[in-house]
Structures are given as structure tokens and as C-alpha cells.
Amino acid sequence: MLAVIVGAFLLSGCGEELQITAHPVKNVENVKYEDGNLDVYCLTGICQFELSSNQDVDLNVTMHYSESRSFEKIEGVSVTGHGGSTVQMQGGKSFQLSLEANTPPSTIQVVDYYRN
């Protein structure tokens, strides 16, 4: 299995670099991280992945089928592990999730209502 570190940056010029680790579990083709935003690419509209972080962080997660097509209406987001109670929908294709530093990975499953 492949674990991907999807982003890192220095906070305030000192301290430890933020590292978001994404581990595809089911139907995740790619994950990109930039400035608090996580883009997850899922060809089928039903996918599962694990996320962890070395620092407390709030992530805006946007779901995509491809570079040119985003999810239309997220039917559900299920989180097993830390952060499940922090999920807030941000429209049809995005949600916000908080990760706690150095906790076991949270497993996230996302389903698009209009999936293929």
C-alpha cells in the first residue's frame, strides 16, 4: 500500500513542518494538498482514504472525479477515528474536517449522490 505525504510547509518560520499523510484505501486515484485545501480524486464517486497529520489542522476537502469534473452533491461523509464530529459540509462537493496531531489515521468514506 502506498502512503502519500500530500503537503508540507513551515509555520511562522520556526517549528516543525506540517505534514498531511493520505493513504488511499478504495477508489482514490490522487490526492493534492495546498494551503489548507485537500483535493481528492475518485473516479467512481465512492471512495475511502485515511488521513493523519503531525499537527492540529483544519482541512477543506474537495472531491473530484477528474481535473475537469468535481462531485456534484456529496451524499455522505463517514469518518472513523478522530475528527468525525468536526465534519461540516461546505456545498455539494466540499467539506471541512479537523485533524488532531499525532493520532492514528482517520478513515474517511465519501459518496457522491450522482455517482457513476
Side-chain angles (χ1 to χ4, degrees):
M1 293 265 168
L2 173 66
V4 180
I5 295 181
V6 294
F9 61 91
L10 288 176
L11 295 176
S12 306
C14 62
E16 186 177 17
E17 285 185 2
L18 171 64
Q19 292 185 338
I20 307 295
T21 303
H23 177 84
V25 174
K26 182 178 178 185
N27 297 326
V28 174
E29 295 297 316
N30 193 15
V31 179
K32 296 179 184 177
Y33 174 80
E34 185 176 336
D35 298 329
N37 296 302
L38 191 72
D39 292 302
V40 179
Y41 295 85
C42 171
L43 297 176
T44 64
I46 301 174
C47 60
Q48 193 174 58
F49 52 97
E50 293 180 340
L51 289 177
S52 61
S53 175
N54 66 335
Q55 297 179 14
D56 291 352
V57 63
D58 293 329
L59 293 176
N60 293 312
V61 181
T62 303
M63 301 300 300
H64 305 273
Y65 287 99
S66 65
E67 289 288 335
S68 61
R69 182 177 173 217
S70 295
F71 276 30
E72 296 177 41
K73 180 182 178 185
I74 293 175
E75 180 178 344
V77 176
S78 173
V79 178
T80 303
H82 294 276
S85 64
T86 67
V87 172
Q88 295 180 333
M89 297 307 299
Q90 302 290 316
K93 63 181 181 179
S94 300
F95 61 94
Q96 185 175 36
L97 170 72
S98 297
L99 295 177
E100 293 179 24
N102 303 314
T103 58
S106 295
T107 302
I108 295 96
Q109 179 171 302
V110 184
V111 178
D112 187 27
Y113 183 80
Y114 297 106
R115 63 193 169 273
N116 294 333

Coordinates of all heavy atoms in Angstrom, one line a residue, residues 1 4 68 81 98 106:
M1 N 0.8 -1.2 0.0 CA 0.0 0.0 0.0 C 0.9 1.2 0.0 O 1.9 1.3 0.6 CB -0.9 0.0 1.2 CG -1.9 -1.1 1.3 SD -3.4 -0.4 0.6 CE -4.4 -1.8 0.4
V4 N 0.9 8.6 0.9 CA 1.4 9.7 0.3 C 1.4 10.9 1.2 O 0.4 11.2 1.9 CB 0.5 10.1 -0.9 CG1 0.9 11.3 -1.7 CG2 0.4 8.9 -1.9
S68 N -11.3 17.9 -14.6 CA -12.3 18.7 -15.2 C -13.7 18.5 -14.6 O -14.7 19.2 -15.0 CB -12.4 18.4 -16.7 OG -12.7 17.1 -17.0
G81 N -12.6 7.3 13.5 CA -11.5 7.8 14.2 C -11.7 9.3 14.6 O -12.8 9.8 14.6
S98 N -11.4 18.5 10.8 CA -10.3 18.9 11.6 C -9.5 17.6 12.0 O -10.1 16.6 12.4 CB -10.7 19.5 12.9 OG -11.4 20.8 12.6
S106 N -7.4 8.7 10.6 CA -8.9 8.7 10.5 C -9.2 8.1 9.1 O -8.6 8.5 8.1 CB -9.5 10.1 10.6 OG -9.2 10.6 11.9

